[in-house]
RNA sequence: GAGCCUGUAGCUCAGUCGGCUAGAGCACUUGACUUUUAAUCAAGGGGUCCUGGGUUCGAGCCCCAGCAGGCUCACCA
């Protein structure tokens, strides 16, 4: 094992600490009664609070001035300055704790616990005047030292995305501001869950390992169960299982869960991602639009304190109601062409006119989808519902109540990106079987993403499913929106990475 | 999958036309300093210049191949 000079020095320091009879990894708890942010917010010299404060965290900087020193302690809430005077932590003749342990053997990154009283220095900084100091855990690797001056300029920032994602623990330590992203993510999920629970809907869990990967158009990960000696797939969606639960008699079920898709990776796609799907009985997609508006407005307010979110140089307002356009209306608005009566040939010619690549395998639905993606999507900045999609693209949605060739589906677009997808769910078992068979024909033609026929799901529908509306929301992408992040890797603690070339033991 | 860019100390980065022993700041080591705050001052240690070939008297730099990463595009919900 190759060690850098600094790693050797830290191991030497560890050994010397042991030789002094100090346990560098003590087992007993350290009683904490205050946190950095709390002290900085609440300390009042006249009130004389925090006179018996006890804090723990990492030593992140030390400025030794001889017999007195200033150091910075970082706990889960932030940093606070420590003032450490030799004769106070070593009141007797033995000055070893200060001269040797603190000045020489402690390193940046070590966990320490301190006790003392809070005061304000001559320069006005709230500081803990330390009277007791204890090593809680020794750090053996040098941490990148990120410095900031009074104007907030950052020096030697730890910014390499690869290093940050591979060693997220270092990223979180030296760039604590990124914790806000993950706090927001957590609050978003909590807030949405609370909203659903208040409506009386049930949070459920459905299988991740599935014998048939249904519910979406995507390539799956395949695995194998040894005892059953059969292939299993990691789920690409949980839709078909949640609908089985509606068949079983629940009024509303929802699941936050990981989905797995064996496809490309880029700044908006990770092989595993989190979706929230919800199904509510006796409702339709019009009702669902109203529910989504109310839910997102409230969640945004709870998470960010308002309904307006800054995304890049734009402001997005999540306050409902959101604009509703049918897909045909949206295309007409942004191309000037009414395609509602067009056949496949006319659509193909129109796509060519707009320099959109087309090929013979593309049916009517696919051509409309291309046209929409190319000409409309980017313009949908404020939350907008696009409704009523061509039937060919959507095998699990109910035929439109009044428009031939369309289904009752909407997608919610924000800042040019789709963040939610919903249907009036198809509950006619004979129609559903026909749609699955159409998918099988696509599969035979080589479409790797076409859906499999799920005989058990059809059996469930044949017993009868009430009219139901279902919705899926991409939690990662919604988090990106609410935290103003451009890449999905920034909202995942541990995004998928290629393996490291060599990882020393 | 395609194009462009990058890879030099623990971190952030210089490195000229191919030419002295490869540099800076922070971090680290030794010393000074009892209210500093990007602490300061003095001295010092630290390098597989991503890897492997090639050209050359001589390569961090030029050429070829590979690896890793970033950005853009394509594919993909």
């Amino acid at each position: 094992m190759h060690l850098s000079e600094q790693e050797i020095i830290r191991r030497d320091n560890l050994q010397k600490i042991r030789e002094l009879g100090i346990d560098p990894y003590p087992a007993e708890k350290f009683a904490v009664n205050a946190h950095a942010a709390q002290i900085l917010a609440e300390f009042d010299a006249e009130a004389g609070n925090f006179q018996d404060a006890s804090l723990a965290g990492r030593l992140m900087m030390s400025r030794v001035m001889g017999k007195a020193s200033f150091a910075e302690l970082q706990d889960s809430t932030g940093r606070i300055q420590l003032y450490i005077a030799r004769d106070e932590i070593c009141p007797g003749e033995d000055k070893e704790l200060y001269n040797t342990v603190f000045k020489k053997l402690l390193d940046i990154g070590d966990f320490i616990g301190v006790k003392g009283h809070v005061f304000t220095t001559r320069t006005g900084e709230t500081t803990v005047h330390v009277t007791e100091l204890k090593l809680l855990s020794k750090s053996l690797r040098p941490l990148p030292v990120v410095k900031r001056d009074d104007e907030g300029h950052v020096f030697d920032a730890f910014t390499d995305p690869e290093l940050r994602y591979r060693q997220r623990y270092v990223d979180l330590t030296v760039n604590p501001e990124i914790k806000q992203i993950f706090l927001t993510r957590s609050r978003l999920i909590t807030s949405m869950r609370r909203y659903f629970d208040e409506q009386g809907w049930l949070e459920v869990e459905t299988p991740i390992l599935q014998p048939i990967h249904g519910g979406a158009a995507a390539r799956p990960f395949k695995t194998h169960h040894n005892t059953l000696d059969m292939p299993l797939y990691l789920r690409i969606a949980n839709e078909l299982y949640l609908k089985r639960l509606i068949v079983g008699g629940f009024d509303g079920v929802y699941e936050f869960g990981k989905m797995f898709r064996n496809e490309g990776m880029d700044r908006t796609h990770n092989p595993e991602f989190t979706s929230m799907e919800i199904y509510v009985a006796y409702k339709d997609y019009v009702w669902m639009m109203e529910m989504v508006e109310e839910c997102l407005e409230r969640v945004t307010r709870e998470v960010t304190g308002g309904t307006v979110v800054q995304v890049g140089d734009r402001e997005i307002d999540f306050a409902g109601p959101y604009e509703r356009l049918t897909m045909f209306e949206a295309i007409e608005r942004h191309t000037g062409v009414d395609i509602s009566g067009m056949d496949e040939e006319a659509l193909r010619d129109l796509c060519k006119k707009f320099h959109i690549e087309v090929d013979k395998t593309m049916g009517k639905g696919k051509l409309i989808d291309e046209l929409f993606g190319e000409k409309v999507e980017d313009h949908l900045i404020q939350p907008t519902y696009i409704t009523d999609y061509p039937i060919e693209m959507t095998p699990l949605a109910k035929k439109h109540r009044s428009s031939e060739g369309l289904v009752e589906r909407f997608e919610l677009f924000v800042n040019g990106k789709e963040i939610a997808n919903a249907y009036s769910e198809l509950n006619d078992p004979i129609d559903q079987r026909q749609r699955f068979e159409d998918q099988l024909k696509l599969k035979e033609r080589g479409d790797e993403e076409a859906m499999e026929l799920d005989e058990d799901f059809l059996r469930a529908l044949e017993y009868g499913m009430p009219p139901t509306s279902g919705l899926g929301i991409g939690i990662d992408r919604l988090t990106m929106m609410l935290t103003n992040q451009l890449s999905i890797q920034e909202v995942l603690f541990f995004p998928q990475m290629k393996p490291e070339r060599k990882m020393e033991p």
Side-chain angles (χ1 to χ4, degrees):
Chain A
M1 181 173 186
H2 174 262
L3 294 176
S4 68
E5 182 199 30
Q6 292 191 44
E7 289 172 307
I8 292 167
I9 288 165
R10 282 170 182 244
R11 279 170 159 75
D12 284 348
N13 288 347
L14 175 75
Q15 185 57 32
K16 286 174 188 158
I17 284 166
R18 287 211 158 97
E19 285 165 6
L20 286 170
I22 298 168
D23 182 354
Y25 301 104
E28 66 271 20
K29 71 174 182 185
F30 184 85
V32 170
N33 68 12
H35 283 89
Q38 177 197 10
I39 292 174
L40 294 178
E42 297 173 14
F43 175 65
D44 179 344
E46 286 185 19
N49 53 353
F50 298 115
Q51 293 308 291
D52 192 16
S54 178
L55 296 90
R58 279 190 201 268
L59 182 67
M60 294 303 282
M61 181 170 288
S62 76
R63 299 181 282 274
V64 177
M65 320 269 309
K67 297 184 187 67
S69 302
F70 288 91
E72 285 174 25
L73 183 80
Q74 177 172 299
D75 68 13
S76 62
T77 67
R79 285 195 192 190
I80 190 163
Q81 181 168 266
L82 307 178
Y83 174 72
I84 301 169
R86 185 193 69 180
D87 296 336
E88 306 215 32
I89 66 166
C90 302
E93 285 301 303
D94 180 4
K95 306 298 185 191
E96 194 167 67
L97 177 63
Y98 181 81
N99 287 341
T100 306
V101 177
F102 173 71
K103 277 171 64 174
K104 295 193 197 301
L105 302 182
L106 287 192
D107 293 297
I108 287 177
D110 288 353
F111 281 90
I112 59 172
V114 297
K115 292 181 184 176
H117 59 272
V118 178
F119 75 113
T120 304
T121 62
R122 207 182 282 165
T123 50
E125 179 153 352
T126 303
T127 300
V128 180
H129 189 135
V130 175
T131 52
E132 287 180 51
L133 182 149
K134 184 182 184 188
L135 175 61
L136 300 179
S137 181
K138 188 89 188 96
S139 164
L140 295 181
R141 283 181 188 256
L143 223 41
V145 176
V146 180
K147 296 197 172 189
R148 289 168 177 79
D149 68 13
D150 288 341
E151 280 96 53
H153 297 117
V154 178
F155 301 83
D156 298 334
F158 180 67
T159 54
D160 183 328
E162 185 187 2
L163 286 174
R164 288 183 50 231
Y165 303 151
R166 284 196 195 283
Q167 302 187 41
R168 187 64 96 174
Y169 35 88
V170 174
D171 189 30
L172 289 162
T173 302
V174 305
N175 300 320
E177 64 280 1
I178 70 148
K179 284 182 182 169
Q180 288 306 321
I181 294 168
F182 296 98
L183 268 175
T184 298
R185 182 184 176 114
S186 174
R187 287 191 187 126
L188 156 68
I189 292 170
T190 304
S191 172
M192 202 176 274
R193 176 179 284 131
R194 190 184 309 126
Y195 177 86
F196 295 153
D197 286 346
E198 282 171 15
Q199 317 301 314
W201 302 325
L202 184 72
E203 180 166 21
V204 299
E205 293 176 274
T206 62
I208 289 172
L209 292 173
Q210 302 180 347
I212 297 168
H213 56 279
R219 297 213 299 271
F221 287 92
K222 191 174 182 180
T223 185
H224 182 262
H225 190 281
N226 288 344
T227 305
L228 295 173
D229 189 24
M230 65 180 284
L232 287 171
Y233 300 92
L234 273 63
R235 68 181 174 193
I236 57 174
N238 50 2
E239 174 159 355
L240 302 186
Y241 284 93
L242 291 170
K243 286 188 200 170
R244 284 172 170 94
L245 295 178
I246 297 296
V247 170
F250 292 105
D251 273 333
V253 290
Y254 69 94
E255 179 174 14
F256 287 91
K258 283 282 182 76
M259 304 300 152
F260 306 85
R261 297 189 183 177
N262 205 342
E263 292 168 345
M265 293 160 56
D266 59 32
R267 69 180 194 288
T268 57
H269 297 82
N270 196 61
E272 56 183 287
F273 62 97
T274 302
S275 86
M276 192 297 302
E277 290 206 24
I278 182 164
Y279 292 81
V280 184
Y282 312 112
K283 306 297 187 190
D284 63 8
Y285 78 140
V286 178
W287 171 87
M288 185 65 86
M289 284 189 258
E290 290 161 8
M291 190 277 268
V292 169
E293 284 163 358
E294 184 180 299
C295 177
L296 285 186
E297 175 172 343
R298 187 170 121 180
V299 164
T300 307
R301 207 183 286 282
E302 285 187 3
V303 168
T304 68
T307 61
V308 178
V309 175
Q310 187 76 31
V311 180
D313 50 13
R314 292 176 173 134
E315 286 189 341
I316 309 279
D317 190 349
F318 279 93
Y322 305 154
E323 186 173 15
R324 299 179 191 186
L325 290 172
T326 68
M327 179 160 263
F328 289 163
E329 286 168 350
I331 289 173
E332 183 169 2
R333 178 182 294 187
H334 291 100
T335 64
V337 183
D338 177 6
I339 63 163
S340 57
M342 285 189 179
D343 62 10
E344 188 173 319
E345 269 322 297
L347 282 166
R348 198 181 305 277
D349 290 343
L350 183 64
C351 283
K352 284 179 189 162
K353 201 178 126 197
F354 288 122
H355 307 291
I356 297 167
E357 276 189 45
V358 293
D359 62 55
K360 283 176 187 165
T361 69
M362 289 179 172
K364 196 173 161 185
K366 181 72 179 164
L367 289 167
I368 293 171
D369 193 55
E370 288 290 321
L371 199 55
F372 178 81
E374 195 67 31
K375 288 289 165 189
V376 181
E377 240 179 69
D378 290 346
H379 300 290
L380 305 175
I381 304 308
Q382 296 304 319
T384 305
Y385 290 126
I386 300 297
T387 67
D388 302 345
Y389 284 63
I391 192 167
E392 293 88 342
M393 311 288 301
T394 316
L396 300 171
K398 189 178 275 197
K399 281 177 181 156
H400 197 277
R401 61 193 76 181
S402 59
S403 300
E404 188 70 21
L406 300 181
V407 290
E408 297 207 349
R409 171 184 184 182
F410 72 80
E411 292 188 308
L412 174 61
F413 286 84
V414 181
N415 199 34
K417 308 251 166 35
E418 180 231 319
I419 63 165
N421 182 21
Y423 315 144
S424 296
E425 300 295 337
L426 177 54
N427 63 344
D428 174 343
I430 293 170
D431 187 0
Q432 182 67 79
R433 182 176 294 277
Q434 184 59 49
R435 304 271 199 102
F436 274 140
E437 281 167 2
D438 293 344
Q439 287 289 307
L440 287 181
K441 283 176 201 150
L442 289 177
K443 201 166 192 81
E444 281 161 20
R445 291 215 320 241
D447 185 344
E448 285 185 79
E449 297 182 341
M451 279 185 208
E452 302 265 357
L453 189 148
D454 188 331
E455 200 62 63
D456 176 70
F457 175 66
L458 287 171
R459 178 167 62 190
L461 288 192
E462 285 165 11
Y463 278 105
M465 182 171 87
T468 297
S469 186
L471 163 80
I473 291 183
I475 295 297
D476 309 282
R477 290 183 185 179
L478 184 56
T479 305
M480 287 164 65
M481 211 78 63
L482 296 187
T483 57
N484 194 14
Q485 292 299 318
L486 294 174
S487 101
I488 196 170
Q489 285 77 22
E490 292 290 346
V491 303
L492 299 168
F493 274 126
F494 302 106
Q496 194 56 242
M497 309 281 286
K498 289 190 187 179
E500 269 185 273
R501 204 175 344 164
K502 53 183 176 189
M503 183 69 204
E504 291 190 19

